[in-house]
Amino acid sequence: MKKDTRINWVLTILLVIGTITVFFPLYMAFIIAFKKSSEMTNDVAGALAFPAHWSLDNFRQAMVVTDFWHSLGNSLLITLATIGLAILIHSVAGYAIGRNMAKRKSFRIIYLYIVSGMFVPFSILMMPLVKQTAQMGLGNRLGVILLYLVFYMPMNILLYTGYLKNIPVVLEEAAGIDGANTWRTYWKIIFPMMSPMHATVAVLTALGTWNDVMTPLVIMAGTGENTLPLAQLNFQTQFGTNYNLAFASYILSLIPILIFYIVCQKQILSGVANGAVKG
């Protein structure tokens, strides 16, 4: 029996359009980052053209303007701390809720209450949170980390409880027969088995925290501490934007999160595939 080799042109055209839509802004950011200010023109041909001379001067200046290494350190600290705490805390909460909400109505209510947090916009919570964190002495990096743990809890709980459906309960029952308590069973058996979902949660949380501007802006205002996205606001003034330095800085900030995604890619694909099939 011959295989159907016909091409789905509609899908192919949509994929090509989607690819161009994604890569065109990256191309523009890349070439502008290497151009001199004198090469910036208003005509389309000039904007799309390669730089006359490739130079790293924009990257050097961008690192000075943004105090790159200090800002990078703050971004790494906040992002890595949020990822680590999110995996530890949210996975435990997801396990407790996921294994009990089918048997106890109270856990089902708790689950719906937490997940409903995804529908609350940050703009509604912003002013109360600014005042509360200031009163509690959390208008700093620690306060930002704690807020991120709360903000990403709904999505992470949703992911962990869904993934738990693929892990047979009989494994826990067998561990219980061997004398292991619930806490030991979780850390020795369930937690390692959820490693694909840990990677998925890590990347989704990292993308959100790494690129976020608003939360550090309103919480850490006046502390003198900047994350990379906050430091990049220095390129925007009331008279305009220095696009050459700005795009150079954007590319520099893209590299760490891109490396992190590449490292976790296989685990993410495994987590998505397993999470899509109900066990």
Side-chain angles (χ1 to χ4, degrees), residues 133-164:
T133 51
Q135 291 175 339
M136 298 176 65
L138 293 175
N140 47 38
R141 291 171 294 187
L142 175 61
V144 173
I145 293 170
L146 293 177
L147 288 177
Y148 282 146
L149 285 176
V150 176
F151 294 157
Y152 294 108
M153 179 180 284
M155 177 58 72
N156 293 344
I157 293 294
L158 181 69
L159 292 172
Y160 277 122
T161 53
Y163 190 82
L164 276 169

Side-chain angles (χ1 to χ4, degrees), residues 159 162-166 196-197 268-279:
L159 292 172
Y163 190 82
L164 276 169
K165 297 176 182 178
N166 300 285
M197 187 50 64
I268 295 170
L269 293 176
S270 177
V272 172
N274 291 332
V277 181
K278 186 175 180 180

Side-chain angles (χ1 to χ4, degrees), residues 193-211:
M193 292 184 69
M194 291 197 297
S195 58
M197 187 50 64
H198 295 327
T200 304
V201 166
V203 170
L204 292 177
T205 304
L207 287 172
T209 56
W210 187 266
N211 297 317

Side-chain angles (χ1 to χ4, degrees), residues 24 29 38 92 95 114 136 138 144 154 171 174 193 202 210 224 234 241 279:
F24 181 72
S38 57
V92 172
Y95 173 69
I114 293 176
M136 298 176 65
L138 293 175
V144 173
L171 294 176
M193 292 184 69
W210 187 266
N234 292 328
T241 301

Side-chain angles (χ1 to χ4, degrees), residues 191-264:
F191 188 82
M193 292 184 69
M194 291 197 297
S195 58
M197 187 50 64
H198 295 327
T200 304
V201 166
V203 170
L204 292 177
T205 304
L207 287 172
T209 56
W210 187 266
N211 297 317
D212 184 39
V213 176
M214 188 58 66
T215 305
L217 178 63
V218 298
I219 300 300
M220 298 196 305
T223 63
E225 298 289 344
N226 280 333
T227 59
L228 275 177
L230 275 183
Q232 288 166 352
L233 294 178
N234 292 328
F235 300 116
Q236 300 178 6
T237 66
Q238 60 178 330
F239 303 107
T241 301
N242 190 327
Y243 290 104
N244 303 85
L245 299 187
F247 282 119
S249 180
Y250 298 155
I251 291 175
L252 287 173
S253 64
L254 175 66
I255 293 174
I257 199 68
L258 183 62
I259 294 173
F260 181 73
Y261 175 78
I262 293 173
V263 171
C264 298

